[in-house]
Amino acid sequence: MTQTSFTPGPDTLTEMRAALGCFATGVVVVTTETKRGPLAITANSFTSVSLTPPLVLWCPALQSKRHDPFVDATHFSIHVMAERDIDTALHFARNGEVFDTHDWVQSPEGVPALTQALVRLDCTHHAAHPGGDHTILVGEVLRVSQRGDLGAGLVFHQGKYGRFTD
């Protein structure tokens, strides 16, 4: 067995990304409403924080053109993607303003809500914290919508989308 070590820094960004990519994550699409219209972004930096109160977090990159609208949003919805919705996740990773090929409705807070998500968490902005080259956005969950008929969740691991097998 070969083991390597490195010190994280500007010269080892590729190695650091590869190391962190060994941790499999779920895939979410986060949506909000802006002055320009609906906006979405695909993320794998999502986790639960607290049950009481119900808090979750996700982390948009500072360099993203979609960063500021999400940090400034009073409400957002987090959609846990099903494995069959890889095209939706890829679409919103590339373009967050084109919703015409995806079924959605407005949440009671006026946020775009994708209809095909396994789980949708409608959130109000709770807190924002600096997190290096990202912002840590904490949302308080106002409502949870679930669909049990969509199969397993979409997984991201070592730069690839996939699923767990039995």
Side-chain angles (χ1 to χ4, degrees), residues 27-30 36 38-43 63-66 70 85-102 154 156 161:
V27 178
V28 298
V29 172
V30 186
R36 292 174 44 126
L39 184 66
I41 192 169
T42 300
Q63 69 182 15
S64 171
K65 293 178 183 175
R66 294 177 252 179
F70 278 104
D85 291 319
I86 187 170
D87 290 338
T88 301
L90 291 170
H91 170 81
F92 287 119
R94 290 186 301 268
N95 188 328
E97 294 183 327
V98 178
F99 278 70
D100 59 354
T101 58
H102 298 85
L154 183 60
F156 189 73
Y161 291 92

Side-chain angles (χ1 to χ4, degrees), residues 23-54:
F23 181 71
T25 65
V27 178
V28 298
V29 172
V30 186
T31 59
T32 194
E33 185 65 31
T34 72
K35 293 176 186 174
R36 292 174 44 126
L39 184 66
I41 192 169
T42 300
N44 69 333
S45 58
F46 165 76
T47 192
S48 61
V49 175
S50 170
L51 292 176
T52 308

Side-chain angles (χ1 to χ4, degrees), residues 54-104:
L55 301 176
V56 295
L57 70 76
W58 71 285
C59 306
L62 293 173
Q63 69 182 15
S64 171
K65 293 178 183 175
R66 294 177 252 179
H67 174 272
D68 291 352
F70 278 104
V71 171
D72 295 339
T74 58
H75 294 88
F76 53 86
S77 291
I78 298 172
H79 305 79
V80 178
M81 293 285 94
E83 64 180 324
R84 73 183 204 182
D85 291 319
I86 187 170
D87 290 338
T88 301
L90 291 170
H91 170 81
F92 287 119
R94 290 186 301 268
N95 188 328
E97 294 183 327
V98 178
F99 278 70
D100 59 354
T101 58
H102 298 85
D103 292 333
W104 63 280

